[in-house]
Amino acid sequence: MWAYNQETDVTVSGNNVTLTSQLADGVTSMVELTGVTVSGNDLRFMAKTTLSKDGQVTATYGPRQEHFTKTEADYAKTVISLWDIYFTSDAPEHESLESYRELYRADGTCSFYDLIDGQWVEEETDYSEYFADGPLFCFRWQKRDAGIDRRENWEIVSYDNGKMVNKAFYRRADGSTYTITAHLTKVE
């Protein structure tokens, strides 16, 4: 299993939480959360993220609402299988209705397959790993000769009768956002 740990200073004052981290290349990330409501399994914050380097602000995101829901669902064993998958998005350039396959093994490794000339062909990767923790579904991979470590975090929205729906939230370089929805069907 792989994990990313970021040392963070946390300050709590009333309903305000501040998370400050030193990132790569001397960049400081400060996330300011202001509690809006807490009710049962529901927690809502207003959030603002500020990135700075050498004391100069380089980017600001928000304010935006962060919504957390406590969940008891655990999909760690559910995902172990071969899945047919296609993607939809509120950004059309990220949609793919072409059939694609992903295989998740019990040892935390996975494989990705493209349909080429009627045959399923495994994509060449230097590594491809995943983990599922509750509804959190995380991937790490690197395509052969690309030299770029890729990571994605998805939320498992639903699972029912061999069908699973996952969503991921992305931010473009200009700060605008979009979501991608993965629609998976278990291959028997």
Side-chain angles (χ1 to χ4, degrees):
M1 295 283 282
W2 55 272
Y4 173 76
N5 295 310
Q6 178 63 55
E7 188 173 313
T8 302
D9 291 326
V10 179
T11 305
V12 179
S13 177
N15 65 337
N16 297 309
V17 179
T18 303
L19 310 167
T20 307
S21 304
Q22 296 301 316
L23 307 178
D25 300 328
V27 173
T28 300
S29 168
M30 183 172 67
V31 179
E32 299 170 279
L33 302 169
T34 301
V36 176
T37 63
V38 177
S39 176
N41 291 335
D42 188 71
L43 175 62
R44 293 174 191 256
F45 284 104
M46 288 304 292
K48 177 182 173 188
T49 301
T50 304
L51 301 178
S52 59
K53 185 170 183 171
D54 300 325
Q56 300 287 46
V57 173
T58 57
T60 302
Y61 305 102
R64 67 190 178 282
Q65 189 169 101
E66 296 277 346
H67 180 192
F68 300 89
T69 303
K70 183 177 179 183
T71 180
E72 301 299 326
D74 184 5
Y75 296 98
K77 291 183 181 168
T78 303
V79 300
I80 299 170
S81 189
L82 177 63
W83 299 88
D84 273 329
I85 183 171
Y86 69 92
F87 300 95
T88 57
S89 176
D90 56 5
E93 69 271 20
H94 296 288
E95 286 194 358
S96 175
L97 301 178
E98 293 181 25
S99 195
Y100 178 76
R101 284 194 172 170
E102 297 179 349
L103 172 64
Y104 301 100
R105 298 178 192 86
D107 67 357
T109 62
C110 52
S111 295
F112 311 109
Y113 299 87
D114 296 312
L115 188 58
I116 301 174
D117 296 327
Q119 299 291 317
W120 290 106
V121 178
E122 184 174 359
E123 291 182 1
E124 292 186 5
T125 60
D126 288 327
Y127 56 84
S128 51
E129 304 166 309
Y130 80 95
F131 70 86
D133 186 359
L136 179 64
F137 201 13
C138 299
F139 306 90
R140 175 179 175 245
W141 80 95
Q142 180 172 304
K143 286 193 176 189
R144 187 145 299 140
D145 301 324
I148 299 171
D149 182 55
R150 302 285 186 183
R151 296 173 188 234
E152 291 185 26
N153 301 310
W154 293 75
E155 177 187 2
I156 299 173
V157 177
S158 66
Y159 175 79
D160 185 36
N161 201 25
K163 294 190 181 292
M164 185 165 45
V165 176
N166 303 338
K167 283 193 180 252
F169 183 75
Y170 290 91
R171 177 176 287 124
R172 295 179 185 93
D174 67 3
S176 62
T177 59
Y178 63 95
T179 58
I180 297 178
T181 304
H183 305 268
L184 297 93
T185 302
K186 193 174 276 194
V187 177
E188 299 298 329

